[in-house]
Amino acid sequence: MGMRLEVCGVSFFYASRDVLRDVTLEAGAGEVVGILGCNGCGKTTLLKCINATLTPANGCVTVDEEEMTGMSKRDVAKKMGFVTQSTYVTFPFTVYETVMMGRYSRIEAFGAENAGDVDAVHDAMSYAGVLEFKDRVISEMSGGERRRVMIARALAQEPDILLLDEPTLHLDLSHQFDLMELVRRLSRDKGMLAVIVTHDVVLASRYCDRVIMMKEGVVVAAGTGPDVITPNNLKEVFDIEAEVRPDDRFVLDVTIVGRASRHEGKPS
Amino acid sequence: MTWFRSRYFPLEHADSADTRSYHRSRRRRAAAAIAIVVTVLTATFFLTMIVGNFHISPSGVLDILFMGGGSAGDRQVVVDIRLPRVLCSFLVGAALSASGLAMQSLFKNPMASPSVLGISSGAAFGASLAISFGIGGAALGYYAVPAMAFLFCFVTIGAVYLLARTRYGVASLTLLLSGIAVGAFFGGLVSLMQYVANEDVLASIVYWTMGSFNKCGWSAFGMAVVPIVAGALLIASRSRELNLISAGEEQASNMGVDIKSTRTLLFLGTSLCIGGSVAISGTIGFVGLIVPHVFRMLVGPDHKLLMPLCILGGASFMAAVDAVSKAAFAIPIPVGILTCLLGAPFFIYVMKTRRREMWE
């Protein structure tokens, strides 16, 4: 159960631009880690480096001291599930068919789905709350339902690590909270490590055990929510004026006042 | 009990009886669908064996096929002309449908098919090179025509793919446009060869570009059976990967699919199928578009079921259309003409109804 993910000194460049510079982070089973930052700060690139979709120029990513680069796609998929931003599916697959796809890495090359696979799909669907939709066609579902199907599919991989790229994007408020509750339950009850990329400071402050704040490919601050989500850091990373108070109900009460640079000198 | 259940899910989630029976009912439906298509294929076989310009009664055909009876002349018609022709149309129909399905799913584009993407034209050019100039004949002998068709098919798929590819993947519009461009280029080369070729060679190239089973005897069957069976098996073995890729390439990769090697294998399988088909029957358009579409509408997009249905159903479709083309008109017309007349309106229908999938 003591699974550990380590990212040490990872850098990545696209043709001319550096996207990640010397990013280091460490996380273990049962944690929810939030990666916060503006659009284009390299958050998604970091996730792709973690699951070896991209090969870092420098540095390494290891799970239990095993390097991710050089591992086969299949072995990576057994360790981590990746829920991407896009939930678009070209052909009219049903929910059941889609979640069964998550079993790909667990079924032998010429093997067939056995009862164990059906059970895993059942459990993943019931955990993500999409069991009653199993016969429905994905393209006819709402954004929030579709996102839950994608999470169920990632769960069917039986991963230790769940990577989520902007999971609350395009969801209405209540569904954003439902989704974060689901992620927290997975980490608390099942000891999964969830790494969430988001730019939602409020959700991150409530649901993440640890937060990493990034700006232009560099880690600006890392630590617990109260350590990292401070008015100073929010100003530096998001250019936002905010008030942060400790709160008994949900750890931190973050009030976003407005944009920092335009706000200067003006009374609110 | 899997590791996941024991670790992640306590017993309150363990009641998967409903899901198991749902899975079993899906299996039963799939088996029933395959049984129906096999029945249709068998029926098509007998019906098409009976159809022909030379009249032999149905019982006479059965007698020849199973009892070894009949007159020498009738035997020759049934065993040496009709039987190989029907088997060839089975092979070609299966090959075109399997590769059409593979192309549609690989490119996530319901309009893709060997003829639409210009791949068949490339293969036709390769075949005409072998026919008119005997290129490859020295090294490959009997297999020169299918081998050249295979080679050019592979090159054409690669070219179309590379032209259509951008940093963000393969866009539908650029894919169809590069298919048109590459197809036109090879079409031009085939026309050039027709222009410079002598009379005898001209006739056989024209035959190739129209698409027909008129010359399909046992020799043609022998030429096509190995590449087509190998290609179709190769494509069918990637059914699970096709499911994941057709749902999204990036997501497939995240779930453990090695996209590059899968793509190469599918290009190879498609080239074998198209190479074998074009070598014996020329370019028969739109079969690879129509058959996968019809079955996807009937049973959904799961390739584990869709693939066998396309292979078997494509075979019977091709044989049936061939029977119509040789018997329904005053003179037998090349089957390629008929599939184009059927296929073009179908293409327009798909374009109008599947606009969303096409352009996204």
Side-chain angles (χ1 to χ4, degrees):
Chain A
M1 277 290 246
M3 184 273 307
R4 284 210 81 68
L5 166 71
E6 280 177 67
V7 176
C8 29
V10 163
S11 301
F12 186 85
F13 318 92
Y14 282 120
S16 56
R17 201 161 56 89
D18 5 342
V19 189
L20 291 178
R21 255 177 302 154
D22 200 25
V23 173
T24 295
L25 70 93
E26 214 182 296
E31 282 189 289
V32 179
V33 177
I35 300 174
L36 270 176
C38 300
N39 295 332
C41 75
K43 294 171 298 187
T44 302
T45 308
L46 177 59
L47 282 194
K48 288 184 179 174
C49 284
I50 291 177
N51 94 330
T53 302
L54 298 174
T55 309
N58 295 304
C60 63
V61 177
T62 60
V63 174
D64 291 332
E65 282 156 29
E66 228 184 311
E67 277 233 36
M68 296 309 288
T69 49
M71 208 182 266
S72 76
K73 288 270 169 212
R74 214 175 250 271
D75 287 340
V76 172
K78 286 181 194 168
K79 286 197 190 305
M80 37 181 105
F82 193 149
V83 181
T84 54
Q85 278 183 34
S86 157
T87 57
Y88 179 72
V89 171
T90 312
F91 292 104
F93 285 102
T94 65
V95 170
Y96 185 77
E97 287 163 348
T98 306
V99 178
M100 190 53 98
M101 290 178 195
R103 298 299 298 165
Y104 176 77
S105 59
R106 300 272 169 192
I107 300 175
E108 302 283 308
F110 289 94
E113 297 140 2
N114 59 28
D117 296 310
V118 176
D119 286 351
V121 167
H122 170 88
D123 294 345
M125 288 198 301
S126 89
Y127 216 85
V130 292
L131 196 54
E132 69 266 40
F133 302 144
K134 59 177 175 276
D135 236 346
R136 276 182 57 192
V137 171
I138 294 268
S139 47
E140 290 159 9
M141 299 176 80
S142 76
E145 290 165 346
R146 245 192 266 186
R147 190 83 55 176
R148 296 220 300 275
V149 174
M150 296 301 151
I151 290 179
R153 189 175 69 180
L155 292 180
Q157 286 170 236
E158 305 180 58
D160 294 315
I161 302 170
L162 195 58
L163 307 173
L164 299 124
D165 191 1
E166 304 275 11
T168 56
L169 203 70
H170 305 312
L171 299 190
D172 55 38
L173 278 173
S174 62
H175 287 115
Q176 293 187 11
F177 281 96
D178 285 351
L179 197 122
M180 294 305 287
E181 287 289 344
L182 167 64
V183 171
R184 180 146 75 183
R185 265 195 297 138
L186 285 167
S187 78
R188 293 294 179 273
D189 306 354
K190 319 301 172 199
M192 218 176 248
L193 162 63
V195 181
I196 298 177
V197 156
T198 180
H199 49 232
D200 191 321
V201 179
V202 175
L203 284 177
S205 71
R206 293 199 185 183
Y207 289 100
C208 296
D209 303 305
R210 288 199 301 128
V211 175
I212 287 149
M213 237 188 237
M214 287 178 65
K215 188 186 182 185
E216 288 160 11
V218 178
V219 175
V220 175
T224 62
D227 289 345
V228 175
I229 301 174
T230 63
N232 274 341
N233 284 340
L234 290 175
K235 194 171 190 172
E236 194 193 334
V237 171
F238 290 100
D239 193 27
I240 280 289
E241 196 77 49
E243 289 164 6
V244 181
R245 283 177 294 270
D247 191 295
D248 294 340
R249 290 163 301 171
F250 33 77
V251 190
L252 280 183
D253 178 12
V254 181
T255 308
I256 293 168
V257 179
R259 187 161 175 157
S261 52
R262 245 193 273 145
H263 226 273
E264 259 157 31
K266 287 185 205 161
S268 46
Chain B
M1 183 157 291
T2 63
W3 165 87
F4 186 60
R5 283 174 80 80
S6 54
R7 175 171 154 195
Y8 283 132
F9 292 106
L11 282 170
E12 74 246 25
H13 285 293
D15 184 24
S16 58
D18 278 1
T19 307
R20 282 191 185 196
S21 76
Y22 175 74
H23 188 78
R24 273 194 302 274
S25 79
R26 280 175 55 90
R27 279 269 169 86
R28 273 196 301 274
R29 257 184 302 164
I34 289 176
I36 291 171
V37 178
V38 168
T39 313
V40 170
L41 184 66
T42 315
T44 315
F45 174 77
F46 288 113
L47 286 174
T48 49
M49 283 302 292
I50 290 163
V51 175
N53 298 325
F54 189 84
H55 180 78
I56 302 171
S57 70
S59 59
V61 171
L62 292 180
D63 186 38
I64 292 165
L65 280 178
F66 295 107
M67 305 298 173
S71 70
D74 286 359
R75 283 192 63 77
Q76 199 187 2
V77 168
V78 171
V79 177
D80 290 337
I81 297 175
R82 285 190 195 166
L83 186 57
R85 180 170 178 149
V86 170
L87 292 179
C88 281
S89 66
F90 279 179
L91 281 178
V92 170
L96 294 176
S97 306
S99 35
L101 178 59
M103 292 294 104
Q104 288 171 17
S105 304
L106 192 58
F107 294 127
K108 291 173 285 300
N109 186 327
M111 309 297 284
S113 81
S115 52
V116 175
L117 296 182
I119 298 163
S120 298
S121 309
F125 175 66
S128 343
L129 273 183
I131 298 162
S132 38
F133 301 120
I135 293 174
L140 302 156
Y142 180 54
Y143 282 108
V145 177
M148 288 294 284
F150 161 77
L151 198 69
F152 274 83
C153 193
F154 196 69
V155 170
T156 314
I157 299 180
V160 170
Y161 171 72
L162 289 176
L163 284 172
R165 191 196 172 133
T166 63
R167 234 183 74 190
Y168 308 102
V170 177
S172 293
L173 185 59
T174 44
L175 180 74
L176 295 178
L177 291 179
S178 54
I180 291 170
V182 171
F185 178 76
F186 282 111
L189 286 178
V190 172
S191 298
L192 180 67
M193 298 217 323
Q194 289 177 0
Y195 186 71
V196 299
N198 66 44
E199 289 279 313
D200 295 346
V201 174
L202 180 65
S204 54
I205 300 178
V206 167
Y207 159 78
W208 247 263
T209 55
M210 278 188 204
S212 150
F213 293 104
N214 277 339
K215 294 184 186 171
C216 286
W218 283 115
S219 156
F221 178 79
M223 206 183 270
V225 66
V226 175
I228 287 178
V229 169
L233 284 177
L234 202 55
I235 293 174
S237 75
R238 302 292 106 182
S239 293
R240 284 199 316 127
E241 284 82 353
L242 279 172
N243 267 352
L244 277 80
I245 289 176
S246 68
E249 218 160 274
E250 193 190 348
Q251 298 170 33
S253 165
N254 291 334
M255 285 183 277
V257 177
D258 185 338
I259 306 278
K260 254 192 202 159
S261 74
T262 305
R263 188 161 49 215
T264 310
L265 279 176
L266 286 171
F267 282 179
L268 213 63
T270 301
S271 304
L272 285 167
C273 280
I274 303 297
S277 305
V278 167
I280 61 166
S281 64
T283 51
I284 297 177
F286 294 108
V287 175
L289 178 78
I290 297 172
V291 174
H293 253 282
V294 169
F295 282 110
R296 198 182 288 112
M297 278 192 274
L298 290 174
V299 302
D302 187 352
H303 291 76
K304 285 171 300 210
L305 174 60
L306 195 50
M307 188 63 77
L309 290 186
C310 278
I311 289 174
L312 299 167
S316 32
F317 175 74
M318 191 77 260
V321 178
D322 183 45
V324 170
S325 79
K326 73 177 178 185
F329 305 98
I331 45 160
I333 61 168
V335 68
I337 293 175
L338 202 58
T339 60
C340 282
L341 292 177
L342 278 174
F346 191 83
F347 184 91
I348 293 165
Y349 160 75
V350 174
M351 188 176 77
K352 286 293 187 191
T353 54
R354 301 287 147 129
R355 210 172 297 168
R356 198 172 122 86
E357 286 99 324
M358 245 186 85
W359 305 120
E360 274 181 36

